[in-house]
Amino acid sequence: MPNLSLRPRAVVAALALALPLGLAACGSSGGEQNTGSGSGSTAAGGIQTVSPGKLTVCTHLSYPPFQFNKDGKVVGFDVDVVDRAAKSMGLTQDVVDIDFEQITTGAVFKAKKCDVAAAGMTITDERKKAVLFSEPYFDATQALIVKKGAGVTDLAALKGKKLGVQTGTTGQEYAKKNASAGFSAVVFEDLPTSLNALKAGRVDATINDNGVLFDFAKQNPDTEVVAEFATGEQYGVAAKKDDPNAQQIITKINESIATSKQDGSYDETYKKWFGTAPGEKSTAAPSSSAG
Ligand code: ARG
């Protein structure tokens, strides 16, 4: 009996991994793996991908303005960054949604769920043990969002109150490190559920990356970002560790990021999603919507 009681989250994770395996298998004869099995999966420069002609990209939705659904399509800053890199490899980007922890642990790559992951994901020493990161492509820091007029401006003001955190994130880590402030952390699966809980008054504040919280506050004037904590984070695109093919893909992504910073396309993308040039104080994005 104890063996039958899988926790719901474990079941979801298992399903999420099983599905893409099925998808990946349908294009190949063996069904076990379809990388390296023929010219169909070989992109420019001899790069192999899990699905022929595609750069399959794992992410965790919804995380506007980095990745979110709009009119049935996944769009966002990260999507544009990876799109440029995919094109440079002669590939079309295909975005797959999955549990964030399946990405940070590298499980998605072992399961051949995707070639890379882009999820507003902070490069950390811990994660570097599990995945290979690209060069940083975005700076971020943790921030605190509350209902307007809540009178909360820092973690200390949350003593005896509830703080929403997103599971497996650096925001959750930051909350753990600062637990002595005396709040109780309420863990959510994703950003939208944590922010819905804030709006509904089920938590008193929510911690997450500044970019997404400023974006949400712009769309939801009854909320405001009251603090930023200088955690000095940087986002990277991740791929399978200790894998020459993945290394090749990451090299291409690094080249694409570097080129885009020189030819102005990076700045253009930044403006598109944040309304300002990089380095200018960004308060919100003009065009996204938290789902
Ligand atoms: N930057 C934070 C981290 O890496 C949060 C990322 C959450 N990303 C997402 N797509 N939900 O832990």
Side-chain angles (χ1 to χ4, degrees):
M1 166 159 177
N3 285 339
L4 292 175
S5 58
L6 266 178
R7 284 178 309 144
R9 247 181 74 205
V11 173
V12 170
L15 279 175
L17 283 172
L19 269 173
L21 279 174
L23 274 179
C26 67
S28 72
S29 47
E32 217 208 331
Q33 61 174 77
N34 68 353
T35 53
S37 60
S39 56
S41 59
T42 306
I47 286 171
Q48 309 287 318
T49 60
V50 297
S51 185
K54 287 180 178 162
L55 185 69
T56 308
V57 182
C58 281
T59 197
H60 181 61
L61 298 172
S62 178
Y63 209 65
F66 297 94
Q67 46 266 323
F68 60 103
N69 266 302
K70 196 172 193 182
D71 307 326
K73 265 189 69 182
V74 180
V75 298
F77 182 87
D78 286 4
V79 180
D80 286 353
V81 168
V82 174
D83 223 35
R84 268 194 296 271
K87 285 198 181 102
S88 78
M89 291 178 257
L91 299 168
T92 312
Q93 181 177 196
D94 195 15
V95 182
V96 179
D97 184 26
I98 194 154
D99 275 9
F100 190 57
E101 276 159 320
Q102 299 291 322
I103 296 172
T104 54
T105 57
V108 289
F109 305 125
K110 285 180 189 133
K112 297 194 187 299
K113 171 93 175 93
C114 46
D115 304 297
V116 297
M121 183 180 12
T122 303
I123 301 168
T124 69
D125 289 340
E126 178 76 17
R127 292 171 184 173
K128 274 190 201 166
K129 292 178 198 157
V131 299
L132 171 70
F133 277 108
S134 71
E135 292 296 320
Y137 65 87
F138 192 88
D139 293 338
T141 204
Q142 290 308 305
L144 195 65
I145 191 168
V146 300
K147 280 267 213 56
K148 232 176 217 166
V152 170
T153 52
D154 55 16
L155 292 180
L158 286 170
K159 195 174 173 66
K161 298 190 168 170
K162 290 188 180 128
L163 174 67
V165 304
Q166 184 186 341
T167 191
T169 62
T170 48
Q172 184 180 31
E173 279 302 305
Y174 189 82
K176 278 182 190 161
K177 274 192 205 129
N178 291 279
S180 60
F183 52 78
S184 62
V186 183
V187 183
F188 295 92
E189 281 297 317
D190 52 36
L191 177 75
T193 50
S194 73
L195 292 173
N196 289 340
L198 176 73
K199 293 221 4 151
R202 292 195 297 275
V203 295
D204 301 288
T206 292
I207 188 169
N208 213 303
D209 296 24
N210 54 350
V212 291
L213 295 192
F214 278 120
D215 185 72
F216 186 80
K218 175 79 173 179
Q219 318 289 332
N220 296 269
D222 57 328
T223 67
E224 63 180 328
V225 178
V226 289
E228 284 182 89
F229 312 113
T231 50
E233 296 175 48
Q234 294 188 301
Y235 294 169
V237 177
K240 192 171 187 187
K241 202 177 153 76
D242 301 325
D243 181 277
N245 185 63
Q247 176 66 67
Q248 255 189 293
I249 295 176
I250 289 296
T251 299
K252 286 284 179 193
I253 287 173
N254 287 342
E255 284 169 10
S256 167
I257 292 169
T259 306
S260 73
K261 284 190 173 165
Q262 277 157 21
D263 69 12
S265 52
Y266 179 92
D267 285 13
E268 237 169 72
T269 301
Y270 197 101
K271 259 216 164 89
K272 173 178 168 189
W273 298 108
F274 297 97
T276 58
E280 268 175 50
K281 184 79 186 151
S282 162
T283 50
S287 56
S288 81
S289 69

